[in-house]
Amino acid sequence: MGATERVADAAAGVVDAVAAVVRSDAALLEDDLAEFLGSLTAPAAVSSQSVYEAALRRSLYEPVADAVGSKVGQEALPPTAGAPGGNRAPLRPSMVYWAYRNYRGFPDELGDGGAEADLALVRRAAVAVRVMLKAFVAIDDIQDGSDVRYGEPALHVTHGVPLALNTGSWLIAAVLRHADDPAVVDSLVRAVESGFTGQAVDLSTRTAETRAELIAAPLEERLAYWESLAALKTGTLFRMPLDSALAGLRVVEDEQDILDVAMRQLGLASQLFNDLTDFVPEFGGGRIHEDYDGLSNRVFLELLDPESQLALSGEQLKSYVLGHPKLESTLLALAAEAVELKRDAKESVYRVCRSDRSAAYFDLTIERKGHLIDRLHETLQQRSGT
């Protein structure tokens, strides 16, 4: 029996108890997030305002409230009567809290020795990470021209591009101040740098020069380009929560390296899933065919043929890929690659889990989206008859 099977069997007996801790931690994060938002927008609640205060409310505090209150994030845990968090809004677990539980213990394991101080640090880091992700979304939607985010109008649609850009930038500064701990702040700054570097590379795929170079490049170079881009953009979103917690908790470097590789793998698996949903109506929903004008999609890069002398227009590329005889086999192979990446990442994380409960906590946190990767692969297998 492999490590994955042994951990899964052991976790099955404790999953209910662990789920309660996950919900409790997620509820605490929601409380802290609401308090942080209140501290940012408190002047907006003042009934008697000067012209200056009213302008600040409209141009900053209201966009901030909309940005922080958006649905950004993975699929949430639904409200459950009697559980931590009760019947209020859905809860979103955080890898920041997984790190705390793994390295400092579960509620019945905590003693003296700084656990409370570490929890205070982790609470601030979790809020900083959540709001940082929302700031990234506000800016990313402007750059990508996305008008809808998780079923809601994008921030720049409701408040205009200048205010949305300013809001995202202001939130980054606010959360770096909120994180407080120098090691956590340094981790977040590096995540910001990686995210914006990846966005620059992504935006480059819309230029004639980069598009021509990608089309002419051999397959190996195109795939290396995609992996570098995915690691910087999507991989950063997976690494940032964990990296910030590991930095704050002063986790040993060897384990930081193991977890960094695992989060990179999860980021690549997630990006493959996102790329494939452009071709699978069962999962793409309203997003089907949305990104066919870009060359950052792995399916495009797999199927491009430098000898085809393709023009650079999105419509011609779209027709070429949709009619390609290897499209279905490529989709299936990439889905299998995503499953393997996720499996390898989980195996790596299990190696540093301090207990079966920690492994179960990780599974409950990751599999909110991870199970979709498996379902996508199964769907493509059924579609191809394999």
Side-chain angles (χ1 to χ4, degrees), residues 257-317:
D257 292 342
I258 290 171
L259 290 168
D260 186 68
V261 171
M263 293 304 105
R264 176 188 172 95
Q265 290 172 316
L266 284 175
L268 295 178
S270 180
Q271 189 57 56
L272 277 173
F273 174 84
N274 292 341
D275 289 356
L276 291 169
T277 56
D278 275 340
F279 298 84
V280 185
E282 299 92 323
F283 289 83
R287 293 184 61 257
I288 192 72
H289 301 175
E290 182 180 271
D291 294 330
Y292 279 160
D293 194 35
L295 285 182
S296 57
N297 187 299
R298 175 73 178 271
V299 180
F300 271 79
L301 296 176
E302 290 273 355
L303 296 177
L304 284 177
D305 180 2
E307 301 301 321
S308 66
Q309 300 297 314
L310 286 172
L312 298 182
S313 75
E315 282 302 315
Q316 287 181 311
L317 286 174

Side-chain angles (χ1 to χ4, degrees), residues 168-200:
S169 303
W170 189 83
L171 281 173
I172 290 174
V175 298
L176 290 174
R177 176 168 45 83
H178 180 76
D180 190 47
D181 182 83
V184 176
V185 172
D186 180 67
S187 172
L188 293 173
V189 168
R190 286 185 280 109
V192 171
E193 181 181 14
S194 293
F196 283 136
T197 301
Q199 186 68 354

Side-chain angles (χ1 to χ4, degrees), residues 19 25 56 59 108 115 123 147 150 157 217 227 281 318 320 368:
D25 290 343
L56 197 59
S59 62
D108 62 330
R123 289 175 66 173
D147 292 337
Y150 297 107
V157 172
E227 184 168 328
K318 174 181 174 180
Y320 171 82
R368 287 174 298 122

